[in-house]
Amino acid sequence: MLFTSLKRNLHYVLALSVLAVACVVLLGWVIQSASVIQVRPDFAPMVVNTAISFFVISLSFLIQQGKFQKLSAYFSIFVGALATLTLLQYLTGFDFGIDQVFSPAFYSVGVSSPGRMAISTAVCFLLLSLSDLSIGSTYAKRVIKVTTSSLVFGFGVLGFLGYFLNFSSEYGWGNFSRMAIHTSVCFIFLATAQIWKVRINVREEEAGRTATVPIYVVMIGVLTSVLIWQLLMFKDIERNRSVTLVQAEGFKAKLDGSFIPLEKALQHMARRMAAGAYGEEKVWRLDAKFYYEEFKGIRRLMWADPRLIIRWLYPMDDFSKSVLNTTMGRSPEIAETLAEVKATGVPRISRIFEMKSGGRGFGVLVPVMANQKFMGVVAAAIDLKTFIDRFARTEGYRVAILQDGKEVYRSFEWDPVFSRDWASQVRYSNLGVDWVISFTPTTGVIRQNISSLPQMVLVFGVSVTVLLGLALSFYNRATELGKRARAVADWKSAAMDATPLMMVSLDDNGIIREMNSSAEALTGWKSEELAGKEMPTLFHDHQDMTLFRLKMEQELGKPLPEMVDLIEAMFAMGYNTASDWVFIGRDGRRFEGTLSVGKVVDEKGHTTGYLAVVEDVTQKRVKERQLKEQEKKIITSSRLASLGEMAAGIAHEINNPLTIINGHLSVLRRLLSTRGLASDMEVQKRLEVAESTTNRIAKIVKGLRSYARESDQGDKERVVVEAIVEDTLAFCADKFKSEGIDLVSRLEPHLEVFVRPYQISQVLLNLLNNAADAVAGCPERRVVIETAARNNGVEISVTDTGAGVPPFLKEKIMEPFFTTKEVGKGVGLGLSISQGIIQAHDGKFYLDESSPKTRFVIWLPV
């Protein structure tokens, strides 16, 4: 029964699926979610006009029967007009301004007309609109509907398979902006729905299975024609790929033609260096100047002695002065290549890296060898873009270079979707270089190899198929006339049970009548058990419902004593459509759901009941929250890193003048002594105050520098716990004093741990700040920090006299982004990050629930 009902209403299910996809994509455009409209970065996006067209055409399909038939025709005309205008834009090159009327394109693709649907998409919409307008049971209209739908189905299947079989389904359309993968699926669904509906109509009007034979013949003939058309296109595609590969091989030869002379020039300098021909730097600089001007892209030339200390540089700019007489190989890529050159004695080219002087580049390193003895290195630092641009900007092609799978060079910007379809890759290896070169032809180059034969075959095949389908239809009409059968089925309950949505039917007083099987599975209740009961008292938390009722009463300004009053209030306030709720099952399990409530009215417009539809979105919300949490963590981590760099810079700037002040104080003390003023107590007292103050500033700077050392992630050291605590207290002592908070430290001496001191200082500073916030406004303001040896480790605790952590929040305080502070005073990451830091040290970080006051404990192994 269920299968029969689903089979009979398959076309509605498919149309509703397309409607749902269109709504989701439109929502993606509203919230600007690239993952919704594009699925994957290298997949084409479904543009907003396409989503609107799917919404309108699927709605048109759903309301074709009955009193909305005229409105359905208007919808189809709208879609057809939008598709026609888009095609005219492609044919004439004129922009009518329809591509970004409803929403500007926010995704980053290198297309000439962002937001414009592909030609194939526009053609399919035009065919679907013609199919929708061909309403009726005449032979011609049926054949038109089946033919257009089959073409759409074929184009949709090709568009879908192209993503997985790696071929361009858009080749031959004249423009290569690709159909999105979910656009292809929607076309397949709508075309199938159209054909399925024709099949049902034919079965209802004509008896015998042979009545549907013309439909299948037209379908098979059209699909075969589309398949042959695409197979013929493959030859043109392969021709384009072959030409692109030839261009890529030519690019490799150009690379050799640049690398080999440069290598020889550097070897010439190395031989002269080994032979002692460069008696002084001036002679070497003449050669360096010549090669610098000869080879475009050289950033600088250098010579390093056997200890790899850079001695000579050309040209001598500010950056060169900063690296002169320093060790070569500050970047890992250069250091790795230097080791190979020194070990093998042969020239090598380094991997591409971010240059200290700006931009990406690589190094060409040639060893200086004398009697098989390593005497140093002659090297050239090459600017990648300048070096490659000379021959990479090939007309008609876009070039990219990949190293370790990551793009390091690009000649022009391009659409990643287009590149995915047409890029050809070759590997280039020479002197240690291991690059993948990606060549992508432009649409102009591709169009040069388009043949008219595939289009002629497609038109001919479809024409013959249509004629054959008409002939078979007339034959069946003549032989099977009068053999009609109609089937009537009660599909109400089957349709409710077929949906994965929870559906609950209520009477006009808000009392439950029945539920579908999905509702029974989600809640654990049987439909007959709940008949006659109110829905909120069973499926919702009593406290949540009480708060919601109070909120509604405040907004409407009137009491809502009955359940039906609350439901009507939901309609008045707009909560009846897609509102989020937390539902409770029979076993106490909670799940999140989107609730939509609809009214059931009689012919007089009186409400006779309500239908509540709930979609279980628990997993979806969890994933959404996880994505948002990850995004916030990334942003916060970036801010913390920037703060650490700034703190290190401030500490450095303070430390220099502080050293000068200390020096002057020492000189001043000696001058006073020599001039007989050493016994002046007033002078001595003020000197001691100045020295004490500078020492205190130095201590704060030391703690600040320790706190800011965020880059040494791999270095641990054995330190005294007392020193870490004292450095940390230097940060906040003044804050506690100014706010009238008694800060007490009870530190057991000589406790040592093997840690990253700045990270432990970060955790302690976070706990002390939290404690200061907790005691603000309390009668007793005291914060105690203690250290002691415990359980083969060291225990550090921070205790405050604040109000404490409520029991129901103790399990949540360690969660990321959970905070009890008001907006603007915290993001809820402090305790979560602190816990991660201590766990990374194999320690423990927890709230001591046995303590009468708020006490956070850090335990670190010795």
Side-chain angles (χ1 to χ4, degrees):
M1 182 68 177
L2 178 62
F3 176 76
T4 303
S5 178
L6 181 61
K7 183 179 178 181
R8 180 174 179 78
N9 296 282
L10 178 63
H11 50 300
Y12 290 122
V13 174
L14 294 173
L16 284 171
S17 301
V18 174
L19 187 65
V21 172
C23 291
V24 171
V25 173
L26 286 173
L27 177 62
W29 277 96
V30 172
I31 65 176
Q32 295 192 350
S33 172
S35 60
V36 174
I37 70 168
Q38 204 168 359
V39 180
R40 275 178 41 174
D42 58 343
F43 283 10
M46 182 188 290
V47 300
V48 68
N49 281 2
T50 300
I52 291 172
S53 298
F54 273 129
F55 180 87
V56 174
I57 202 73
S58 57
L59 195 60
S60 169
F61 180 84
L62 292 169
I63 63 174
Q64 278 180 355
Q65 306 297 329
K67 60 182 180 179
F68 296 110
Q69 187 171 341
K70 192 172 183 180
L71 180 60
S72 172
Y74 290 146
F75 284 169
S76 299
I77 292 172
F78 169 79
V79 173
L82 188 59
T84 302
L85 287 174
T86 302
L87 290 173
L88 286 175
Q89 288 186 133
Y90 280 113
L91 294 173
T92 63
F94 184 78
D95 187 356
F96 297 128
I98 63 172
D99 301 320
Q100 300 187 46
V101 170
F102 301 103
S103 179
F106 64 87
Y107 53 88
S108 299
V109 292
V111 294
S112 57
S113 301
R116 182 176 296 179
M117 67 174 69
I119 286 184
S120 55
T121 303
V123 169
C124 288
F125 276 128
L126 185 59
L127 292 172
L128 283 176
S129 63
L130 292 174
S131 177
D132 272 356
L133 292 172
S134 302
I135 301 173
S137 59
T138 63
Y139 304 137
K141 289 183 177 180
R142 283 181 179 171
V143 170
I144 290 173
K145 189 177 284 289
V146 174
T147 302
T148 54
S149 300
S150 298
L151 284 169
V152 172
F153 183 89
F155 295 146
V157 169
L158 289 178
F160 181 80
L161 293 179
Y163 283 95
F164 300 99
L165 301 182
N166 197 27
F167 69 86
S168 175
S169 59
E170 300 301 304
Y171 187 78
W173 291 95
N175 184 285
F176 305 101
S177 56
R178 188 163 193 169
M179 180 187 293
I181 189 169
H182 36 341
T183 300
S184 304
V185 173
C186 289
F187 279 137
I188 293 171
F189 281 11
L190 282 178
T192 304
Q194 295 277 21
I195 295 171
W196 195 260
K197 189 174 181 180
V198 172
R199 176 185 177 277
I200 291 175
N201 291 338
V202 170
R203 284 288 184 89
E204 290 176 348
E205 296 177 9
E206 299 181 25
R209 293 188 176 184
T210 57
T212 56
V213 171
I215 297 175
Y216 300 135
V217 169
V218 172
M219 279 185 60
I220 294 172
V222 171
L223 292 177
T224 302
S225 300
V226 172
L227 177 61
I228 294 173
W229 169 74
Q230 185 62 49
L231 291 174
L232 291 173
M233 287 292 180
F234 283 152
K235 292 185 177 180
D236 293 342
I237 292 174
E238 290 305 316
R239 187 182 304 115
N240 268 300
R241 294 193 186 281
S242 298
V243 173
T244 304
L245 282 174
V246 171
Q247 291 289 337
E249 292 295 334
F251 182 80
K252 286 174 61 178
K254 291 178 181 179
L255 280 177
D256 283 335
S258 296
F259 279 140
I260 292 173
L262 177 59
E263 177 200 358
K264 289 181 178 180
L266 294 178
Q267 284 183 337
H268 173 72
M269 294 182 74
R271 286 194 297 269
R272 295 195 65 187
M273 183 67 71
Y278 295 126
E280 54 185 8
E281 182 180 357
K282 181 171 63 176
V283 179
W284 178 85
R285 292 179 68 83
L286 290 174
D287 275 359
K289 179 181 180 182
F290 174 78
Y291 294 135
Y292 179 82
E293 296 173 351
E294 178 71 16
F295 297 99
K296 301 300 181 183
I298 293 181
R299 185 72 65 85
R300 59 183 45 83
L301 291 162
M302 64 190 74
W303 168 67
D305 64 15
R307 293 182 301 162
L308 300 180
I309 304 298
I310 301 173
R311 298 302 185 185
W312 293 345
L313 272 167
Y314 184 86
M316 185 58 68
D317 51 20
D318 290 339
F319 180 79
S320 297
K321 293 176 182 178
S322 67
V323 298
L324 190 64
N325 296 320
T326 62
T327 303
M328 180 184 290
R330 291 190 296 174
S331 67
E333 293 83 1
I334 293 295
E336 179 184 351
T337 308
L338 275 172
E340 294 177 2
V341 170
K342 193 171 182 180
T344 61
V346 297
R348 303 288 286 181
I349 297 175
S350 74
R351 297 169 70 250
I352 296 169
F353 62 95
E354 295 292 338
M355 303 177 74
K356 300 294 184 181
S357 56
R360 288 176 176 168
F362 57 91
V364 182
L365 291 84
V366 176
V368 179
M369 307 294 292
N371 298 324
Q372 303 299 319
K373 183 179 179 181
F374 180 76
M375 301 299 294
V377 173
V378 175
I382 309 296
D383 181 272
L384 178 67
K385 183 171 180 58
T386 305
F387 188 79
I388 300 297
D389 274 353
R390 294 176 299 151
F391 45 86
R393 296 184 176 270
T394 308
E395 184 177 357
Y397 293 89
R398 294 176 170 86
V399 184
I401 296 177
L402 292 84
Q403 178 181 269
D404 299 332
K406 296 181 179 179
E407 184 180 293
V408 294
Y409 171 82
R410 174 185 297 184
S411 61
F412 297 98
E413 292 297 323
W414 63 71
D415 185 351
V417 179
F418 186 82
S419 178
R420 178 184 184 273
D421 292 336
W422 292 100
S424 295
Q425 294 184 341
V426 294
R427 186 172 292 278
Y428 178 77
S429 300
N430 183 26
L431 295 174
V433 168
D434 187 15
W435 293 345
V436 174
I437 300 170
S438 177
F439 252 68
T440 305
T442 62
T443 55
V445 172
I446 296 173
R447 289 194 189 100
Q448 293 176 2
N449 297 314
I450 293 179
S451 170
S452 60
L453 179 61
Q455 284 77 4
M456 294 174 61
V457 170
L458 179 62
V459 173
F460 178 77
V462 171
S463 301
V464 171
T465 299
V466 169
L467 292 175
L468 182 59
L470 282 171
L472 288 174
S473 296
F474 281 116
Y475 174 78
N476 285 335
R477 186 76 173 182
T479 56
E480 298 293 337
L481 188 63
K483 298 179 181 180
R484 300 177 180 179
R486 300 183 180 274
V488 179
D490 183 14
W491 55 270
K492 173 189 172 183
S493 59
M496 288 182 65
D497 291 340
T499 179
L501 303 176
M502 170 181 168
M503 302 179 70
V504 183
S505 174
L506 310 174
D507 64 14
D508 56 346
N509 292 316
I511 305 301
I512 297 175
R513 287 175 177 167
E514 58 179 335
M515 302 190 306
N516 66 345
S517 58
S518 296
E520 292 179 348
L522 281 172
T523 64
W525 294 95
K526 294 295 183 182
S527 181
E528 55 271 15
E529 292 179 302
L530 301 185
K533 298 181 180 180
E534 287 188 351
M535 178 176 175
T537 33
L538 294 166
F539 300 151
H540 299 287
D541 186 270
H542 177 70
Q543 184 177 2
D544 291 347
M545 284 305 303
T546 302
L547 293 174
F548 179 72
R549 187 187 294 270
L550 289 174
K551 176 184 176 183
M552 297 294 286
E553 288 176 345
Q554 290 176 357
E555 292 182 0
L556 294 175
K558 63 179 182 179
L560 303 171
E562 302 296 333
M563 187 64 219
V564 66
D565 298 328
L566 185 62
I567 295 176
E568 288 296 330
M570 290 175 64
F571 278 92
M573 300 301 296
Y575 289 102
N576 62 302
T577 304
S579 58
D580 290 339
W581 293 79
V582 176
F583 294 85
I584 304 176
R586 188 174 191 172
D587 57 357
R589 183 182 70 88
R590 293 174 178 263
F591 63 92
E592 297 181 53
T594 301
L595 171 66
S596 297
V597 183
K599 288 185 181 181
V600 182
V601 297
D602 58 19
E603 63 277 2
K604 295 181 180 180
H606 298 151
T607 301
T608 60
Y610 304 92
L611 180 64
V613 181
V614 178
E615 178 187 4
D616 184 0
V617 295
T618 304
Q619 295 300 320
K620 180 180 178 181
R621 294 292 184 265
V622 169
K623 291 179 180 178
E624 289 175 353
R625 286 193 289 269
Q626 289 174 347
L627 287 174
K628 289 180 180 178
E629 288 174 2
Q630 291 298 324
E631 182 180 355
K632 290 180 180 178
K633 282 183 179 180
I634 291 170
I635 293 172
T636 304
S637 297
S638 175
R639 289 175 178 172
L640 289 175
S642 298
L643 180 61
E645 292 177 2
M646 185 175 67
I650 293 172
H652 178 74
E653 292 300 325
I654 293 174
N655 211 31
N656 289 336
L658 195 64
T659 303
I660 296 172
I661 293 172
N662 276 327
H664 282 291
L665 286 174
S666 298
V667 173
L668 185 60
R669 186 179 287 277
R670 288 197 304 270
L671 289 174
L672 291 172
S673 178
T674 56
R675 296 181 183 181
L677 296 177
S679 59
D680 190 327
M681 298 304 295
E682 180 66 23
V683 173
Q684 290 299 325
K685 183 179 179 180
R686 294 191 180 276
L687 278 175
E688 288 173 0
V689 169
E691 289 177 340
S692 174
T693 303
T694 55
N695 289 334
R696 185 168 177 272
I697 295 173
K699 190 173 183 180
I700 294 174
V701 169
K702 179 183 176 183
L704 189 62
R705 295 181 67 180
S706 174
Y707 181 76
R709 288 172 56 207
E710 71 281 3
S711 60
D712 297 334
Q713 287 295 331
D715 298 334
K716 289 184 180 181
E717 55 185 279
R718 185 165 300 280
V719 292
V720 178
V721 176
E722 187 177 4
I724 298 176
V725 175
E726 288 180 352
D727 287 347
T728 305
L729 293 180
F731 278 109
C732 52
D734 279 350
K735 175 184 176 181
F736 277 71
K737 185 176 180 180
S738 64
E739 294 181 1
I741 301 172
D742 187 11
L743 179 59
V744 180
S745 58
R746 300 167 183 165
L747 310 179
E748 186 174 322
H750 310 307
L751 297 178
E752 294 187 353
V753 286
F754 191 65
V755 295
R756 300 181 185 93
Y758 66 92
Q759 288 191 336
I760 305 303
S761 180
Q762 177 183 347
V763 175
L764 290 176
L765 186 60
N766 179 63
L767 291 178
L768 289 169
N769 285 333
N770 285 351
D773 292 339
V775 300
C778 294
E780 181 185 2
R781 300 182 183 181
R782 173 177 292 183
V783 176
V784 180
I785 180 167
E786 300 174 285
T787 63
R790 293 280 191 280
N791 302 324
N792 296 322
V794 175
E795 183 179 279
I796 309 172
S797 65
V798 176
T799 308
D800 65 68
T801 58
V805 181
F808 63 92
L809 293 180
K810 289 182 178 180
E811 295 182 358
K812 297 183 178 180
I813 58 174
M814 297 295 181
E815 295 178 2
F817 302 103
F818 177 83
T819 179
T820 58
K821 299 179 183 179
E822 59 188 76
V823 176
K825 289 193 174 181
V827 296
L829 282 174
L831 293 178
S832 174
I833 292 175
S834 297
Q835 186 180 51
I837 290 173
I838 299 305
Q839 289 176 351
H841 284 79
D842 299 324
K844 299 176 184 178
F845 180 75
Y846 59 92
L847 173 67
D848 185 2
E849 298 185 13
S850 62
S851 174
K853 298 185 181 297
T854 304
R855 181 173 181 262
F856 282 91
V857 180
I858 301 167
W859 180 86
L860 296 168
V862 175

